[in-house]
Amino acid sequence: MVEATVFALKSGKDSIDEIDLNLAYNRVKVSARRFATNPFMHDQFHLLSALQDEENRLKRERLKIK
């Protein structure tokens, strides 16, 4: 939220919109969940599907390591 606020303020806005959230998400590093999907700016985003995809990618990676 802090990063999104910074983007909004730099754009001269007094509120955060989806574009600011998208930009902030891309800037913030999420090391614990590196396969997480950016939900902002996607009309067809489905949370449960995204979480399942993330879990599947983690499982495939773990299999490669073993």
Side-chain angles (χ1 to χ4, degrees):
M1 292 305 290
V2 173
E3 291 291 332
T5 302
V6 170
F7 280 114
L9 290 173
K10 285 183 177 181
S11 298
K13 297 183 279 187
D14 61 355
S15 63
I16 298 171
D17 60 21
E18 194 171 6
I19 294 170
D20 302 316
L21 292 169
N22 181 46
L23 293 170
Y25 185 93
N26 290 328
R27 175 168 289 182
V28 174
K29 300 293 182 206
V30 184
S31 61
R33 294 183 59 208
R34 63 184 177 279
F35 295 124
T37 303
N38 184 347
F40 304 104
M41 305 301 293
H42 293 281
D43 292 336
Q44 299 297 320
F45 182 77
H46 187 262
L47 179 61
L48 296 178
S49 295
L51 291 173
Q52 185 64 49
D53 290 344
E54 180 181 348
E55 184 177 330
N56 291 340
R57 290 178 72 185
L58 282 170
K59 286 179 183 177
R60 283 194 302 265
E61 182 178 86
R62 287 185 193 129
L63 289 174
K64 289 180 184 178
I65 293 173
K66 292 182 179 180

